[in-house]
Each structure stands twice: as C-alpha cells, then as structure tokens.
C-alpha cells in the first residue's frame, strides 16, 4: 500500500502547488488597489502579503522535498504496480462474479480413505472401473489401493488383460478376476505363461484352463511347484487316478488355491465322525467336490438330520451325495411336512418310497403335488408354524 500512498502524495503536491501559486498571485494583485493612502500603510500591507506568500511557499517546498526523497520508490512503483489490477488479499471480500473466475489447480489428494477420490485423476483406476472392477472391495484390503495407484495402465495393466484374453477368459470375467486378485497385475508375463503351460501339460484343455482361471482368480498367482504339490495331495489322499484328480480340480479349481487344513479336517470328519468308509468318501468327493471345502459344522448338521432324524443309512447318502451340499433348512422343512402328512418314507424297500434326490431337487410346486399330494398353500402355511 505504501507505493500507492506515494503516488497519491505526488498528485496532491502538483495540485497543491498550482493552487497555492494562483492564490498568492491573486492575493497580491487583488490587494494592491485596496491599500489605503500613505507610504507607511502601503509598506505594511506589502510586508503582510510577502509574509503570507512566504509561509505558503514553505509548505509547498516541504511537500516537494518529501516527494523528491521518494522519487526513486515512485519510479519503481510506476514500473511494477498497476493500480487497476492490485492483487487482492486472501482476507478481502469478493463478489460472486469474481469468485466464479477463480480457478483451483487439480491434483491428487495427499491421502484418502476411499479410492473414489482418485478415480477421476487416475487413468488406471478409471479404466479398471470401466472393466467392472469393484474398487470398494479392494480399498478394504491393506496396501492394495496404493499399489493400484502406482500402476501404469498401458505398461502394467494392458499386457495382463491381453494375456487373460489369449488364455480364453471372457471380457465379462476380467473385472471379477481383478476384483478378487488385483495382485495378478503385478505378476510377470513369464510366470503367468509358465503356470498356464503347466496346467496344459497336465492334460487340461484350453477351454478348461480358461474356465478354471475365470472361477479361481488366484490360480495363476501360485508357483508351478505349489500347483503340482496340490494335485499330488488330492491324488494321494483320495487314492484317485490322474484323470479323476483332474476331474475334481477342473470342477472346483479353488481346491488348488485355498488352504489344505480345512480339506484335511473334512476328510477326518467324514471318516471318523460321520462314519463313512474311504471308498465311500472317494465316491462322495467325485460326485460333489464341494464337500472337501464345505463348512465342517454345516456338514455335521445336515448329516445328523439325514442319518439320525430321517433314519437314512450311509449307503443311501452315498448314493445321493448331493444331499450333503443342500441347504439344511430346505431338507428339514420338507421332511417335517412329509412327516406331518405321514409320508416320510425313505427306505427303497418300503412302499411310497421317496428318493433323496427328488426330496431336495424338485421345486416346491412339484414337491407338493408329486411327493406330498398336498396343496402348495398348505405347505407355505406349514412353514410359518416352524
């Protein structure tokens, strides 16, 4: 503000000097005719006018000296300051029109709890969203968000997408794979190729490999040694042939990815707690591989209902192993309804035998009309009493 004040002083000096000079000249000229006669009086009046003009000139001289001392500053101010475009303080009030013209530089936020704050600024994240990747799932996992932000889409992501498409993965599954296993984007193409070639060397067809990769996103993140050890484990534990091992793994490829501890525990439960023989367990697993990865408590619960409540022997459960993979509540409701009607008969040697596969697979309407010989509305009313 000081340079502005100096400019104002300079303008005031010029105006003041002009007005004082005019005033003094006018005063001297206008006073001459009114002087009274007499030399003494005339001399006195001239002396008073001279004194007055001297005082005004002293004021003018002082202002001139002040301006002269600041001339260097004023010259610099004239060169660097535009009075019509003075920079506004951050605390000064501005009107709405001026506020609209203010532009804020865009940049990535230094930190955030959500990846959505970065989507508009990151090409990698925006393209992943277009592929169907669920960023809200990935941001809940430690360090995954920062890893994705460091990836270059063209250099790091595109080659992996093209590789998956070459394997046979459909476009609609790319988002699913990355959503569950974003670390596949950090794998080298050499390692990915090696793992695919290993699966093909085990006589998995190209279509089967594509299906396995699509349903088990972590499959290609494991080394060939680990994959080979898993294949050998199932073959030895279940006494399976190579073809049967390939069969259960292709139908449930996550058996090659998850921990082996739950699988070992389920095998012990089936043999020790549920009382199945080893050859029966083998038959059950070949028919329903999900039994190996099932929740132990649920497996025991549904077996208890079948064997101890419904009095279904082991050999019938082995004949219809899909019942072990059925929802517990579905089997319980249908059995209790048949029992209420007096038709809960699961012994094939007795009349009105009801096979387990029909009990669990038929839709409600067919179950009521074909097995229970009852109305669908009656079954729904019975369910409300449970």
């Amino acid at each position: 503000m000081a340079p502005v004040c100096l400019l104002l002083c300079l303008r005031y000096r010029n105006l003041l000097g002009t007005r004082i000079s005019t005033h003094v000249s006018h005063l001297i000229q206008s006073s001459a005719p009114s002087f009274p006669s007499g030399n003494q009086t005339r001399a006195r009046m001239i002396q008073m006018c001279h004194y007055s003009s001297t005082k005004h000139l002293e004021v003018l001289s002082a202002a001139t000296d002040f301006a002269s001392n600041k001339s260097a500053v004023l010259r610099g101010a004239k060169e660097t300051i535009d009075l019509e475009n003075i920079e506004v303080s951050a605390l000064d009030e501005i009107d709405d029109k001026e506020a609209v013209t203010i532009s804020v530089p865009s940049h990535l936020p230094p930190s955030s709890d959500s990846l959505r704050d970065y989507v508009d600024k990151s090409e990698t994240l925006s393209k992943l969203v277009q592929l169907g990747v669920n960023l809200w799932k990935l941001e809940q996992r430690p360090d995954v968000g920062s890893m994705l932000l460091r990836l270059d889409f063209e250099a790091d992501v595109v080659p992996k997408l093209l590789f998956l498409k070459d394997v046979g993965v459909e476009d609609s599954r790319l988002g699913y794979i990355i959503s569950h296993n974003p670390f596949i984007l950090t794998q080298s193409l050499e390692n990915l190729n090696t793992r695919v070639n290993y699966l093909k060397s085990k006589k998995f067809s190209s279509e089967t490999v594509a299906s396995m990769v699509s349903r088990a996103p972590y499959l290609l993140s494991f080394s060939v040694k680990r994959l080979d050890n898993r294949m050998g484990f199932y073959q030895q534990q279940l006494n399976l042939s190579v073809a049967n091992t390939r069969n259960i793994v292709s139908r449930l490829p996550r058996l090659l990815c998850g921990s082996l501890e739950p699988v070992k525990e389920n095998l012990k439960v089936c043999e020790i707690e549920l009382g199945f023989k080893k050859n029966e367990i083998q038959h059950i697993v070949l028919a329903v591989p999900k039994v190996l990865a099932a929740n132990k408590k649920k497996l025991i619960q549904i077996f208890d209902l079948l064997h101890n409540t419904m009095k279904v022997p082991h050999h019938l459960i082995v004949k219809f192993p899909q019942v072990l993979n059925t929802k517990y509540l579905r089997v319980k409701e249908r059995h209790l309804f048949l029992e209420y009607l007096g038709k809960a008969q699961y012994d094939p040697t007795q009349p009105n035998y009801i096979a387990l596969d029909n009990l669990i697979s038929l839709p409600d309407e067919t179950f009521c009309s074909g097995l229970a010989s009852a109305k669908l509305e009656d079954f729904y009313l019975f369910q409300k009493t449970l």
Side-chain angles (χ1 to χ4, degrees):
M1 295 301 293
V4 177
C5 293
L6 293 177
L7 284 174
L8 294 176
C9 289
L10 182 59
R11 294 179 179 179
Y12 177 74
R13 182 204 61 178
N14 296 333
L15 180 59
L16 181 62
T18 303
R19 295 187 63 180
I20 291 178
S21 298
T22 304
H23 176 70
V24 171
S25 175
H26 177 71
L27 181 61
I28 294 175
Q29 294 176 3
S30 62
S31 299
S34 60
F35 288 154
S37 59
N39 294 334
Q40 184 177 2
T41 302
R42 182 181 181 85
R44 189 174 180 180
M45 291 295 293
I46 292 173
Q47 184 179 4
M48 291 175 62
C49 291
H50 178 71
Y51 175 79
S52 177
S53 63
T54 301
K55 290 297 182 181
H56 287 295
L57 289 174
E58 288 177 357
V59 174
L60 177 61
S61 178
T64 304
D65 292 340
F66 174 78
S68 298
N69 292 334
K70 304 300 180 180
S71 59
V73 178
L74 289 173
R75 283 194 300 271
K78 290 180 180 179
E79 294 176 358
T80 59
I81 297 179
D82 185 356
L83 293 178
E84 295 181 357
N85 296 285
I86 298 176
E87 184 177 354
V88 181
S89 169
L91 301 178
D92 291 343
E93 294 185 3
I94 59 176
D95 56 22
D96 294 339
K97 291 183 179 180
E98 188 174 359
V100 174
T101 61
I102 297 176
S103 60
V104 180
S106 60
H107 55 80
L108 291 176
S111 62
S112 177
D113 295 330
S114 176
L115 286 174
R116 64 184 178 185
D117 295 331
Y118 299 89
V119 172
D120 293 337
K121 310 296 187 303
S122 170
E123 180 187 10
T124 299
L125 293 184
S126 62
K127 293 294 179 61
L128 290 179
V129 169
Q130 295 175 18
L131 285 172
V133 177
N134 293 322
L135 295 183
W136 65 271
K137 287 185 177 180
L138 298 180
E139 67 188 13
Q140 299 174 8
R141 303 168 63 176
D143 302 325
V144 172
S146 57
M147 178 201 74
L148 293 176
L149 286 172
R150 290 194 297 268
L151 294 178
D152 181 85
F153 184 76
E154 295 296 333
D156 301 319
V157 180
V158 171
K160 310 309 174 7
L161 297 178
L162 294 177
F163 170 81
L164 292 174
K165 287 180 65 64
D166 289 341
V167 170
V169 176
E170 297 181 358
D171 294 347
S172 59
R173 300 296 293 178
L174 295 176
Y176 173 83
I177 293 174
I178 299 174
S179 296
H180 288 78
N181 180 23
F183 303 103
I184 196 172
L185 300 177
T186 64
Q187 296 286 330
S188 69
L189 291 177
E190 181 180 359
N191 288 337
L192 295 175
N193 268 310
T194 300
R195 294 157 192 171
V196 169
N197 291 334
Y198 165 78
L199 293 174
K200 291 181 178 180
S201 70
K202 293 297 180 179
K203 305 300 175 59
F204 290 100
S205 66
S206 299
E207 293 77 11
T208 302
V209 171
S211 176
M212 292 171 65
V213 172
S214 299
R215 290 181 288 125
Y218 273 97
L219 182 62
L220 297 183
S221 291
F222 295 119
S223 65
V224 169
K225 182 178 180 181
R226 174 169 174 148
L227 295 176
D228 192 60
N229 288 339
R230 295 297 176 89
M231 293 280 289
F233 169 81
Y234 294 112
Q235 184 174 354
Q236 294 173 6
Q237 289 292 319
L238 298 170
N239 194 24
L240 299 174
S241 64
V242 175
N244 285 334
T245 303
R246 184 168 57 245
N247 181 18
I248 65 170
V249 169
S250 62
R251 291 164 60 194
L252 192 65
R254 59 190 175 96
L255 290 175
L256 298 177
C257 305
S259 173
L260 290 178
E261 292 305 317
V263 175
K264 294 177 181 178
E265 192 170 3
N266 280 352
L267 290 175
K268 290 181 180 179
V269 166
C270 289
E271 183 177 1
I272 299 174
E273 295 188 37
L274 306 187
F276 289 105
K277 299 176 183 180
K278 288 188 175 181
N279 64 322
E280 291 176 331
I281 296 174
Q282 183 188 79
H283 179 81
I284 291 173
V285 170
L286 285 173
V288 189
K290 285 186 178 181
V291 170
L292 293 174
N295 182 278
K296 183 182 70 171
K297 292 183 179 180
K298 292 182 178 180
L299 189 61
I300 294 174
Q301 184 185 43
I302 195 166
F303 175 81
D304 181 68
L305 173 65
L306 292 169
H307 186 66
N308 298 324
T309 302
M310 298 171 60
K311 306 303 180 181
V312 179
H314 282 81
H315 71 275
L316 285 181
I317 297 177
V318 173
K319 185 178 180 179
F320 304 106
Q322 295 84 355
V323 72
L324 295 174
N325 191 42
T326 306
K327 292 182 179 180
Y328 171 81
L329 186 60
R330 182 182 181 87
V331 179
K332 180 181 178 180
E333 289 176 344
R334 293 192 173 191
H335 163 69
L336 291 177
F337 186 60
L338 291 174
E339 189 177 49
Y340 172 75
L341 297 175
K343 298 182 178 181
Q345 176 56 259
Y346 310 108
D347 186 352
T349 63
Q350 299 295 326
N352 300 322
Y353 162 68
I354 295 177
L356 291 180
D357 58 341
N358 290 332
L359 177 70
I360 64 175
S361 61
L362 294 177
D364 288 342
E365 186 175 357
T366 306
F367 162 75
C368 291
S369 61
L371 299 182
S373 300
K375 295 180 180 180
L376 182 62
E377 293 78 6
D378 294 337
F379 178 56
Y380 289 157
L381 288 174
F382 178 81
Q383 287 178 318
K384 294 179 181 180
T385 65
L386 299 178

